[in-house]
Amino acid sequence: MRQLQVSLLNDTLFFHIAGGVFVTLGLVLISSGKLTTLTCNRVELTQGKCQLISSGVLGSQVKETHLSELQGAKTEDNPMDEDASRVVLLTSKGEVRFTNSTGWQIAEAAASEINAFVQKAEKTSLSIEQDERGLYFSMGGLVLAAGLLTIGFSRTVKPRF
């Protein structure tokens, strides 16, 4: 009887730990989704400001820079997803990630729009937005649900004979 209790406890503990890992991962994914907006306004050739705003579940982050620091944008492959790319802003102070993960066509279009603004002085403003919340919310929601189901399943574990 003692061995049966230990076996049942081990099975229940395993499902609780596995479920906890899934729940934690799901919450991390949900909190990773962001709406990122780059807004630049040009007063003269090199005078103006750019503002990069990233908003997510955990709040917003705002970075302001002088227009003269923005040198352009590029795309790079996302190492986590072979079908996705990310947009990186090129500044005089280094590279700044604009998006985490998006389709390569969307990333190319965003980088092209940013580069066109930087190269054409007659363009007085730029506003470009990348919304990754839907992707991260749906992925995180699925993982979170799997974790909750796993924890719920641990209550139905029957003793092995």
Side-chain angles (χ1 to χ4, degrees), residues 9-122:
L9 178 64
N10 286 341
D11 288 347
T12 304
L13 183 63
F14 169 77
F15 283 112
H16 274 99
I17 290 171
V21 168
F22 280 117
V23 166
T24 302
L25 182 59
L27 292 173
V28 167
L29 283 170
I30 288 170
S31 66
S32 297
K34 296 189 182 335
L35 169 65
T36 308
T37 306
L38 175 66
T39 305
C40 296
N41 292 304
R42 180 178 287 145
V43 180
E44 291 183 19
L45 182 62
T46 58
Q47 290 188 354
K49 288 189 176 184
C50 290
Q51 189 176 55
L52 183 65
I53 303 171
S54 294
S55 303
V57 172
L58 300 177
S60 296
Q61 182 180 21
V62 179
K63 294 180 188 176
E64 283 195 13
T65 185
H66 292 286
L67 178 62
S68 60
E69 293 178 16
L70 182 62
Q71 298 173 338
K74 70 175 185 176
T75 61
E76 57 184 35
D77 292 336
N78 183 339
M80 303 287 282
D81 184 356
E82 65 185 41
D83 295 328
S85 296
R86 49 185 170 207
V87 179
V88 177
L89 301 175
L90 307 172
T91 72
S92 57
K93 295 182 179 180
E95 296 182 352
V96 177
R97 189 175 300 159
F98 178 56
T99 60
N100 287 324
S101 182
T102 189
W104 66 269
Q105 290 175 322
I106 294 170
E108 285 290 332
S112 293
E113 190 173 344
I114 294 166
N115 289 330
F117 174 76
V118 169
Q119 295 167 0
K120 296 181 181 174
E122 62 272 5

Side-chain angles (χ1 to χ4, degrees), residues 1-12 159:
M1 183 67 171
R2 175 98 173 120
Q3 186 178 7
L4 181 63
Q5 288 175 334
V6 170
S7 174
L8 185 58
L9 178 64
N10 286 341
D11 288 347
T12 304

